[in-house]
Amino acid sequence: MTTRYDDLMQDIAHAPSVPAEAIEALKPHAPAVLEAMRPLVRLLGAGAWLSPSEEQRLLYGLHVLACAQHGPAWGLWCDLLRDPDEALIEGLFGDGASFAVTRITMGLAAGQGAAFEPAELAPLIADPLIGSLVRWSLFEVLARFMAEGRFPRDAFVALLDDVASWPQEDQGNAWAVEHAIALAGVEERRDLLLRLYQTPAFRSFQEVDQVDALARLEKAAAAGNDLAHFDEAGVKAFTDPAAALHWMTAIIDSHGPEPGAHDALDWRAVRRLDHILQRADNPPETMRFEEFDGFMHALVIGPDLVMPSEYLPVVWDDGPVFEDMQEAQAIMALIQRHWNAIAARRSANGVFAPHLERWQEVEPGVIWAKGFLKGVAIRAQAWAEMENDEELALAIASIVDLAENGALDEVDRSFALHDLPSNLKVLSDYWLSQQRRSSRLMGLGPQSPAWPTRRSEPVRVEKIGRNEPCPCGSGKKWKKCCGAGPAGTVH
């Protein structure tokens, strides 16, 4: 595995699953990782949109710092925790937010050694502006420090009483107090625990849930200085990335592989394809990869099949021109893989994953949306039908707005980028319904010999020989179709 910092950062930014090896390899680079995290945290705190790769780089980068126990990152982490918008933490870490906050906090606190004062956590917990999910996790961390004798028990109990007295608008605070009492074994607040169970926050609690919580309380109270139950709950500093992120691995495994994962291009393949698209001898209007991705999404989810012989000249601005047959085969294979990955998500009713980047010269999403609209233009007459349906018209209008640099303010652009996958699904579902309707009107069905194969299904193409059928499906040989061109080049 590579040990180059830049490659490792790319690995964590684009990893399809938990990149434990890359995180481990990045631990010696913790100071550089911290500097890479600072602008991302600032963007997140300002409410700015983060690209999918930026979000993933931040998520795993914070775990690099925690597993490296890099104490200098503590201030940056606290800045993120203090943000009153709890959606930032939930959006970054997803279903495992409480696990992540606890483990990162423990790791960074451990990195400060004797300089760390557990009492620093108390004002954070008592701050009504932070989210209840963060409060839950910080209560866990402080409970461990109390059990270790590093935080006064009476101060911990007073903190519980304070938060429990708050108004119940955010029921998550009541849950945080309940969990902390049981985890820390605060037997002297058993009555508070029982009172909480009578509040609306715990109306879904069954008797068996209460019995289980009281049993955990008694077990923790009897443990004394034994910290095993904290370790079992994952309230400890992790140095092993695989163990620290076990919660995320479990979530990913429970959902199964992402549709299109088999064909999806990794960042190295994306960089290779983008390099070929941006070669100096290409026409100036040749697409870069982000624009190409938008273009391909429009073709895959659109009204009918568009052959490579029709769309490749648009990608390369009256091209493409390849150096030789070997390069043509390699690039066509990458293009087919990318098509297949988008098609697989569509076929599986999955979430579309547009490739969006941040560029200095234009606002986020502009380049991708321009590519999508170029794909729409190939079947402009068919796409014009959407003007008659409000939901469809709004979905396509959102992409049109994205394509215009300066058309949206920062907040509206962030919303449009966030809604892009769902808008793509709206458009895709419409064209699928139209294709099924056309098939029914033709009297076709799944058992009919004339029943059409869904045009978005992946097509497997391993190699392209000059005398083999062209992968575009025209029925012609490669050399007479997409591989046609003057000697010395392949178009």
Side-chain angles (χ1 to χ4, degrees):
M1 179 178 179
T2 181
T3 57
R4 291 186 66 248
Y5 169 77
D6 290 342
D7 287 348
L8 291 169
M9 290 297 284
Q10 287 278 36
D11 283 342
I12 66 170
H14 299 281
S17 58
V18 175
E21 291 185 11
I23 294 174
E24 179 67 33
L26 275 167
K27 285 164 57 176
H29 300 283
V33 173
L34 173 57
E35 294 311 308
M37 297 301 101
R38 293 189 190 281
L40 297 179
V41 170
R42 284 197 294 269
L43 285 169
L44 194 66
W49 173 83
L50 292 184
S51 71
S53 61
E54 288 172 330
E55 280 193 342
Q56 192 156 300
R57 187 180 292 114
L58 179 56
L59 184 157
Y60 291 127
L62 290 169
H63 281 88
V64 170
L65 298 173
C67 290
Q69 298 187 357
H70 190 58
W74 176 254
L76 183 72
W77 176 238
C78 288
D79 289 343
L80 185 55
L81 295 183
R82 287 191 189 97
D83 196 292
D85 185 0
E86 188 169 33
L88 296 184
I89 295 293
E90 292 182 336
L92 181 61
F93 297 112
D95 294 341
S98 62
F99 297 107
V101 172
T102 297
R103 296 173 186 198
I104 292 173
T105 303
M106 288 293 304
L108 297 181
Q112 296 186 83
F116 175 71
E117 289 289 342
E120 295 178 36
L121 298 177
L124 273 175
I125 295 173
D127 185 349
L129 294 181
I130 71 166
S132 58
L133 185 149
V134 171
R135 186 170 291 106
W136 165 295
S137 297
L138 295 183
F139 257 134
E140 284 192 327
V141 175
L142 196 57
R144 171 148 192 156
F145 289 136
M146 183 193 71
E148 293 176 352
R150 299 175 62 189
F151 187 75
R153 187 177 185 88
D154 58 348
F156 187 82
V157 174
L159 201 55
L160 290 170
D161 291 342
D162 179 30
V163 177
S165 70
W166 294 354
Q168 294 295 313
E169 285 86 358
D170 186 346
Q171 296 181 351
N173 291 323
W175 283 82
V177 171
E178 185 269 350
H179 177 66
I181 291 173
L183 178 68
V186 185
E187 188 68 57
E188 60 266 43
R189 285 299 179 266
R190 174 187 286 264
D191 288 346
L192 173 57
L193 201 63
L194 295 175
R195 289 199 303 273
L196 287 173
Y197 291 145
Q198 306 309 311
T199 64
F202 292 89
R203 60 178 174 268
S204 63
F205 245 45
Q206 303 295 318
E207 183 177 354
V208 65
D209 298 314
Q210 297 185 29
V211 170
D212 176 66
L214 292 171
R216 286 187 287 111
L217 169 63
E218 293 170 1
K219 179 181 178 181
N225 295 328
D226 185 354
L227 303 175
H229 66 288
F230 286 101
D231 292 341
E232 292 170 3
V235 185
K236 64 176 184 177
F238 288 88
T239 57
D240 175 18
L245 284 158
H246 177 72
W247 60 269
M248 181 175 286
T249 303
I251 290 173
I252 292 173
D253 289 346
S254 69
H255 287 86
E258 282 283 321
H262 174 78
D263 290 299
L265 303 181
D266 62 18
W267 69 267
R268 292 175 177 83
V270 168
R271 189 165 67 179
R272 181 185 180 199
L273 183 53
D274 191 53
H275 172 74
I276 291 171
L277 289 169
Q278 296 303 307
R279 275 195 320 217
D281 57 348
N282 282 339
E285 296 303 314
T286 299
M287 294 179 182
R288 61 177 59 167
F289 183 82
E290 183 179 2
E291 185 178 10
F292 173 72
D293 181 72
F295 182 68
M296 292 292 278
H297 272 81
L299 300 184
V300 173
I301 71 174
D304 57 38
L305 178 63
V306 180
M307 297 294 184
S309 53
E310 185 175 1
Y311 72 70
L312 287 179
V314 180
V315 174
W316 266 273
D317 188 27
D318 197 26
V321 177
F322 299 128
E323 293 296 331
D324 52 37
M325 176 54 60
Q326 184 177 7
E327 183 181 73
Q329 292 173 345
I331 300 311
M332 287 303 295
L334 290 176
I335 290 173
Q336 191 65 64
R337 275 179 57 194
H338 193 54
W339 178 293
N340 289 349
I342 299 171
R345 287 181 180 273
R346 188 194 200 203
S347 298
N349 200 30
V351 178
F352 289 103
H355 180 95
L356 299 164
E357 300 183 31
R358 188 180 302 279
W359 304 92
Q360 291 184 349
E361 65 269 27
V362 294
E363 294 172 324
V366 169
I367 292 172
W368 189 95
K370 285 184 179 293
F372 186 89
L373 296 179
K374 286 182 179 180
V376 168
I378 291 181
R379 293 291 184 268
Q381 186 173 353
W383 281 90
E385 298 174 15
M386 296 189 169
E387 297 176 359
N388 302 320
D389 184 288
E390 183 178 4
E391 183 181 25
L392 298 171
L394 287 173
I396 197 70
S398 178
I399 298 176
V400 171
D401 288 342
L402 278 177
E404 185 65 31
N405 200 36
L408 301 171
D409 62 29
E410 188 174 16
V411 173
D412 287 341
R413 183 164 290 273
S414 293
F415 277 119
L417 290 165
H418 180 271
D419 292 341
L420 182 56
S422 58
N423 282 333
L424 289 175
K425 188 175 187 310
V426 167
L427 300 173
S428 175
D429 288 349
Y430 169 76
W431 288 121
L432 279 175
S433 68
Q434 292 299 101
Q435 291 157 19
R436 290 165 182 158
R437 180 173 178 270
S438 297
S439 297
R440 285 196 300 270
L441 291 175
M442 293 171 61
L444 302 178
Q447 306 306 318
S448 167
W451 179 257
T453 301
R454 287 174 68 171
R455 54 145 213 92
S456 63
E457 289 293 335
V459 179
R460 306 296 175 190
V461 179
E462 298 300 329
K463 293 184 178 180
I464 311 170
R466 288 188 61 78
N467 292 309
E468 294 178 4
C470 186
C472 76
S474 66
K476 301 178 183 178
K477 292 182 179 181
W478 163 257
K479 65 183 180 181
K480 295 292 186 181
C481 189
C482 296
T489 64
V490 181
H491 290 269

